[in-house]
Amino acid sequence: MNKDFSELAEGKKIYFASDFHLGAPNDQESRLRESKIVEWLDQIKEDAAAVFLVGDIFDFWFEYKYSIPKGFIRFLGRVAELSDSGIPVIFYTGNHDMWMADYFPVELNVELERHPKDYQIGNKKFHIGHGDGLGPGDRTYKMLKKVFANKFCQWLFHWLHPNLGMGLAKAWSRQSRAHNAESDGGFDPENEWIMSYCKSREEEAHFDYYIFGHRHLPIDYQLNDESRYINLGEWVTQYNYGVFDGEHFELKKFESNKQPA
């Protein structure tokens, strides 16, 4: 196990969310979504023992040596507040924001993860990751991911001026989201790639919960008598998140307490 939250204090909870896609589809809609995310973080900070942000938090992210994508300052500020107050924030890269470097660990004191990891939380075992490129199939994306994750390719990309580089990448992100929306036929247990990955992983070692994002579908599926596959959904339209109290895991939908202006 890589991280140990086995001593979860009474009344404390672990929170999970993924696929905010901040920046999409435009600045106005992204800002409205960001305000909901900030409100959610404000709501949970009183009893949060840790917060897992499980990939595709940004619709696009690339760190140049001296610049990062502009915007998202309210969200970044809340993440810094959580970390500064002693609440661990574990941030997974996804297929839309894999080009992260040291900004989050250095500036926000956030733990950055690029691959699925194992955790002991309370008396349960968790296997957590974003979910892209796992299981059988999707060979085209797996080949692209190797290119995108290649350090030399990233080095070449960083020589593009940010106005050009970020513009090209944002256009690709929009196309990728549109393709995924068109090709997603919903949840089919027999053909769910991430679930196939979970089943093969379960043959190697037992986990009570397999927590992933990427699919944009809230899923709570019983893999066997003792294991569940959880997909956290998304915040583009549904505002889903997960919470674990030390004994039970629950998928929820964020409801704003703010009154309409």
Side-chain angles (χ1 to χ4, degrees):
M1 293 290 163
N2 292 285
K3 277 288 183 180
D4 190 337
F5 295 102
S6 57
E7 299 298 326
L8 202 59
E10 184 176 355
K12 291 294 184 178
K13 300 173 182 178
I14 308 288
Y15 288 91
F16 306 80
S18 72
D19 294 271
F20 295 163
H21 285 278
L22 286 169
N26 54 55
D27 291 343
Q28 182 178 7
E29 291 186 43
S30 176
R31 180 67 63 81
L32 292 173
R33 189 180 322 126
E34 183 182 10
S35 69
K36 290 180 181 291
I37 295 165
V38 166
E39 185 183 354
W40 174 66
L41 292 174
D42 285 343
Q43 285 185 12
I44 68 174
K45 66 183 179 183
E46 297 303 322
D47 63 2
V51 179
F52 285 79
L53 300 177
V54 192
D56 281 0
I57 300 305
F58 303 100
D59 200 56
F60 167 73
W61 184 276
F62 185 89
E63 293 178 28
Y64 289 84
K65 186 174 182 180
Y66 296 112
S67 66
I68 61 171
K70 73 175 184 178
F72 325 121
I73 192 66
R74 293 160 182 81
F75 168 70
L76 296 175
R78 286 305 193 281
V79 170
E81 286 181 18
L82 289 174
S83 179
D84 288 347
S85 70
I87 299 172
V89 179
I90 299 91
F91 193 111
Y92 279 78
T93 58
N95 49 301
H96 279 261
D97 49 17
M98 68 173 68
W99 283 353
M100 288 192 153
D102 63 357
Y103 182 80
F104 271 67
V106 172
E107 296 295 332
L108 307 180
N109 194 29
V110 165
E111 180 180 333
L112 194 64
E113 300 289 358
R114 302 184 186 277
H115 307 286
K117 297 287 184 180
D118 306 337
Y119 298 86
Q120 181 78 35
I121 305 178
N123 62 355
K124 304 294 184 181
K125 293 181 179 179
F126 285 68
H127 187 66
I128 303 171
H130 180 61
D132 59 309
L134 299 180
D138 210 2
R139 290 188 178 90
T140 301
Y141 169 70
K142 289 176 181 177
M143 291 178 62
L144 284 173
K145 185 175 181 178
K146 288 181 179 180
V147 174
F148 294 157
N150 182 275
K151 295 296 184 183
F152 179 69
C153 292
Q154 294 179 22
W155 179 81
L156 287 176
F157 185 88
H158 101 281
W159 287 106
L160 293 176
H161 189 280
N163 289 349
L164 176 60
M166 292 184 184
L168 290 173
K170 287 181 179 180
W172 179 85
S173 290
R174 287 194 296 270
Q175 185 179 25
S176 174
R177 265 186 294 106
H179 171 74
N180 289 340
E182 291 172 359
S183 62
D184 186 1
F187 176 59
D188 178 2
E190 298 302 318
N191 295 293
E192 181 76 9
W193 293 339
I194 300 176
M195 199 166 75
S196 296
Y197 166 83
C198 295
K199 288 179 178 178
S200 64
R201 191 74 177 82
E202 184 70 8
E203 293 176 359
E204 301 171 2
H206 168 67
F207 293 91
D208 299 283
Y209 296 100
Y210 292 86
I211 310 294
F212 290 94
H214 184 56
R215 290 285 280 108
H216 288 209
L217 292 172
I219 300 168
D220 186 345
Y221 188 86
Q222 199 77 37
L223 283 173
N224 56 44
D225 291 342
E226 298 180 335
S227 299
R228 286 159 62 187
Y229 161 51
I230 306 290
N231 201 286
L232 296 168
E234 46 84 5
W235 280 67
V236 179
T237 61
Q238 300 186 69
Y239 317 112
N240 311 118
Y241 68 96
V243 57
F244 180 67
D245 64 5
E247 293 291 336
H248 304 100
F249 188 99
E250 184 179 1
L251 275 176
K252 293 188 173 185
K253 184 172 182 177
F254 170 72
E255 300 290 346
S256 175
N257 291 329
K258 290 185 177 179
Q259 298 297 320

